Amino acid sequence: MREYRVRGRGIEQIVLTERPTPRPGKRQVLIRMKAAALNRRDLMIVSSSLPERRSGLVPVSDGVGEVVEVGSEVSRVRIGERVCGTFLQGWQGGHMVDADTETALGGERDGVLAEYVTLDERGVVHVPGHLTDEEAATLPCAALTAWHALFETGRVRAGQTVLIQGTGGVSLFALQFAKLAGARVLVISSSDEKLGRAIDLGAAAGLNYSRSPEWDLWALEQTAGSGVDHVVEVGGPQTLARSIRAARRGGDISVTGVLAGDGGAVPVKSILFKQLRLLGVFVGSRQMFEAMNRAVAAHELRPVVDRVYPFESAVDAYRYLGSAAHFGKVVVRIAA
Ligand SMILES: NC(=O)c1ccc[n+]([C@@H]2O[C@H](COP(=O)([O-])OP(=O)(O)OC[C@H]3O[C@@H](n4cnc5c(N)ncnc54)[C@H](OP(=O)(O)O)[C@@H]3O)[C@@H](O)[C@H]2O)c1
């Protein structure tokens, strides 16, 4: 079987290799992978010297496939079922513990950019039947992070206003989930064309942050001066101060990403006076994933897949993600 491995730093170091198809251990399942989806992290892992990257790693955390063989003690999953691996293989539910952080696919553990993978039966979830393989592949990281941000640590309710930053994977799932909950969504993007597409998806209003960098003041105007109930932060230290200004007193800010780079002071006094809650989000547990999938199935929600690349062109998919031209998710088709 064929699989990609990361030989060193840089996209060119992701190479297609061959090895015998693995066999599942007693509590493992063998999955014939159908599709994988890229996240910003996958790009970071190959482009930088993040501690979790090790030589020879099979990259990519997110994917879907069909169970083709199960170990002798497997009881949760059957042959023929369609499953996604969980991002953090060790985090089943409750509070995350230190050891769980060492179990991330495509980082600490081999990922899913492969024709076959073996995973522990506790590290997979069944996927909603209405989704195509390309759509289902997008769920483990970006979708779950948005779900966790809004509903697990967040408390978004109907009628509230949610601000999302950009139109990447996490942000568009946050848009779709916030709409499911009956919230109003404000979006900022560097592209007018992407803003139009976000409004077609249900956003109430949008602002181009490249042309109008004072999006915090815009968010206040959009809420008659009171501020938004929830900000899904993907920018990090460079955008946090504006997010704090854009939030209402007692509002929530989910801290999920560091896209805009390091640096920038944290305005502690504003957090204090406004009684804000800053909520750190690290993907989510298997239980959260299962709860999210129930909502995705009940509402027949369809993830936004921008482009699909063939398995042999996976490196081009990385390049496209790196160009930041994408809207939603970039997917690699592994098998029909
Ligand atoms: N905490 C977690 O567990 C977790 C999980 C998943 C992702 N993340 C992090 O979340 C971030 C987003 O990940 P992703 O996979 O969704 O990325 P992505 O799909 O690559 O999305 C990136 C988009 O963010 C927008 N953006 C970039 N800089 C911005 C800025 N200064 N202000 C506002 N928007 C900006 C851009 O949207 P436009 O093109 O529309 O401008 C860009 O296309 C990354 O930092 C990632 O590492 C964290």
Side-chain angles (χ1 to χ4, degrees):
M1 68 125 187
R2 296 176 303 162
E3 63 187 6
Y4 281 91
R5 288 197 178 262
V6 182
R7 295 287 181 213
R9 189 189 292 199
I11 290 173
E12 309 68 34
Q13 298 299 320
I14 308 168
V15 292
L16 198 52
T17 61
E18 290 216 26
R19 71 170 174 120
T21 303
R23 300 291 310 277
K26 280 184 187 169
R27 296 200 66 185
Q28 285 187 320
V29 297
L30 176 66
I31 304 165
R32 181 172 180 254
M33 294 305 298
K34 296 296 189 75
L38 299 186
N39 290 287
R40 175 67 37 180
R41 164 184 176 265
D42 298 312
L43 206 53
M44 289 159 70
I45 282 179
V46 296
S47 315
S48 72
S49 45
L50 284 183
E52 60 260 47
R53 176 162 64 76
R54 57 176 171 73
S55 185
L57 175 80
V58 177
V60 182
S61 58
D62 292 9
V64 71
E66 183 187 336
V67 175
V68 291
E69 192 178 348
V70 297
S72 58
E73 292 178 12
V74 166
S75 57
R76 284 191 61 242
V77 193
R78 297 206 191 101
I79 289 173
E81 291 178 340
R82 202 163 62 129
V83 295
C84 281
T86 57
F87 181 93
L88 287 161
Q89 289 280 291
W91 192 12
Q92 310 300 315
H95 288 295
M96 190 175 157
V97 298
D98 287 351
D100 297 335
T101 65
E102 304 296 320
T103 65
L105 293 182
E108 285 76 12
R109 294 197 182 171
D110 277 341
V112 299
L113 198 57
E115 289 179 317
Y116 290 88
V117 302
T118 52
L119 294 177
D120 189 289
E121 65 164 333
R122 290 164 301 183
V124 299
V125 297
H126 297 101
V127 296
H130 72 283
L131 298 178
T132 65
D133 291 332
E134 286 87 350
E135 291 166 340
T138 68
L139 297 174
C141 179
L144 187 53
T145 301
W147 173 270
H148 184 171
L150 296 179
F151 307 124
E152 300 281 350
T153 54
R155 46 193 177 172
V156 169
R157 291 193 214 107
Q160 292 193 328
T161 302
V162 175
L163 173 68
I164 61 163
Q165 299 172 337
T167 56
V170 172
S171 301
L172 287 192
F173 275 114
L175 191 169
Q176 291 180 293
F177 288 144
K179 290 293 295 176
L180 279 193
R184 177 172 167 254
V185 179
L186 304 178
V187 55
I188 60 170
S189 171
S190 57
S191 150
D192 290 345
E193 189 251 328
K194 290 181 180 181
L195 284 173
R197 290 168 77 181
I199 283 166
D200 290 345
L201 266 179
L207 183 81
N208 187 316
Y209 65 78
S210 296
R211 267 205 318 274
S212 309
E214 297 198 327
W215 49 264
D216 44 342
L217 302 181
W218 170 77
L220 290 172
E221 278 164 26
Q222 292 291 321
T223 51
S226 60
V228 304
D229 298 282
H230 195 121
V231 183
V232 180
E233 244 298 330
V234 296
Q238 298 280 352
T239 49
L240 186 60
R242 287 194 192 280
S243 294
I244 286 169
R245 276 198 291 277
R248 71 159 162 86
R249 287 186 190 279
D252 286 352
I253 299 176
S254 296
V255 178
T256 76
V258 288
L259 270 178
D262 292 329
V266 178
V268 175
K269 278 189 189 162
S270 303
I271 298 172
L272 183 161
F273 286 131
K274 292 183 84 171
Q275 300 178 68
L276 297 173
R277 296 199 315 160
L278 266 63
L279 309 164
V281 174
F282 190 17
V283 195
S285 67
R286 175 161 65 84
Q287 282 177 7
M288 293 179 196
F289 197 163
E290 288 164 343
M292 175 185 82
N293 280 354
R294 286 192 287 277
V296 169
H299 293 272
E300 298 203 350
L301 183 142
R302 307 213 84 104
V304 179
V305 175
D306 181 342
R307 278 199 197 172
V308 181
Y309 287 81
F311 189 53
E312 295 72 20
S313 307
V315 174
D316 292 334
Y318 273 85
R319 281 200 192 92
Y320 181 58
L321 186 75
S323 76
H326 62 290
F327 180 85
K329 299 299 297 182
V330 180
V331 170
V332 176
R333 180 85 209 180
I334 300 175

